[in-house]
Amino acid sequence: MGETQAGQNGPTRIERTSDTELVVTRTFNAPARIVFKAWTTPELFKRWWSPKSLGMPILACEMDVRTGGGYRLTFGQDEASSFSFFGKYLEVIPDARLVWTNEEGEDGAVTTVTFEDQGEQCLLTYCDRFPSKEALEAERGAEEGLPEQFEQLDDLLADFA
């Protein structure tokens, strides 16, 4: 397959590597350990994960970041309008790799994120693997949201500089 959208979203590269797999890459101006911390610390994660253009802040973020642990994210303006995403961590290698399930439906992807130091920067690779082509087609959130989310992460990481 190999549909690439690099350039449309700034430094974020989006590629469909198969009928069921989406890979997103971006280099951040921070070491891998700091980028990993932004992915695994609830207070930091809440500051950048939800695209601001959605107008849907994260109301609650629970993370038990260890292999076999779980997470739960609740989005919304208030409790009445809230909804949650949840899953479990299949693999956690500090500062290097996270693998988790997305259990909000039977077509949820398994997400793998790797953090690789490249000098003073971090090459981040985000991969969603769906159970079917139809599941990937139905889920456009990563392709649409991640460039904005990664820009927000860039802004957060600037605070650590």
Side-chain angles (χ1 to χ4, degrees):
M1 188 136 206
E3 177 182 330
T4 300
Q5 298 179 7
Q8 294 178 348
N9 301 300
T12 301
R13 180 182 173 94
I14 301 172
E15 182 177 9
R16 288 188 178 203
T17 56
S18 74
D19 286 343
T20 58
E21 190 172 83
L22 178 72
V23 176
V24 182
T25 56
R26 183 170 175 138
T27 300
F28 292 94
N29 289 321
R33 66 181 172 75
I34 299 297
V35 180
F36 185 87
K37 183 177 179 179
W39 281 77
T40 58
T41 305
E43 307 81 51
L44 298 176
F45 192 81
K46 285 175 66 174
R47 290 173 53 189
W48 68 270
W49 181 253
S50 181
K52 289 181 182 171
S53 64
L54 288 179
M56 193 71 66
I58 296 176
L59 298 175
C61 177
E62 301 168 23
M63 296 176 155
D64 180 10
V65 185
R66 60 180 172 85
T67 300
Y71 70 89
R72 180 176 205 79
L73 303 172
T74 302
F75 297 84
Q77 296 297 324
D78 53 41
E79 284 191 36
S81 67
S82 69
F83 60 96
S84 295
F85 292 102
F86 54 92
K88 63 183 170 189
Y89 294 102
L90 301 176
E91 183 179 4
V92 176
I93 301 174
D95 304 339
R97 183 176 169 93
L98 293 170
V99 182
W100 69 82
T101 62
N102 296 278
E103 299 176 5
E104 58 271 5
E106 64 185 40
D107 288 333
V110 172
T111 302
T112 301
V113 180
T114 59
F115 308 81
E116 180 183 339
D117 274 324
Q118 294 190 333
E120 297 295 316
Q121 297 182 315
C122 172
L123 172 62
L124 184 131
T125 303
Y126 175 103
C127 176
D128 273 338
R129 183 168 292 140
F130 291 86
S132 67
K133 178 179 180 179
E134 293 75 23
L136 173 59
E137 292 300 327
E139 181 55 55
R140 306 294 290 197
E143 289 176 85
E144 295 170 2
L146 279 172
E148 182 177 353
Q149 290 167 276
F150 284 178
E151 287 176 21
Q152 293 172 181
L153 176 56
D154 240 354
D155 292 343
L156 174 73
L157 294 171
D159 292 346
F160 289 94

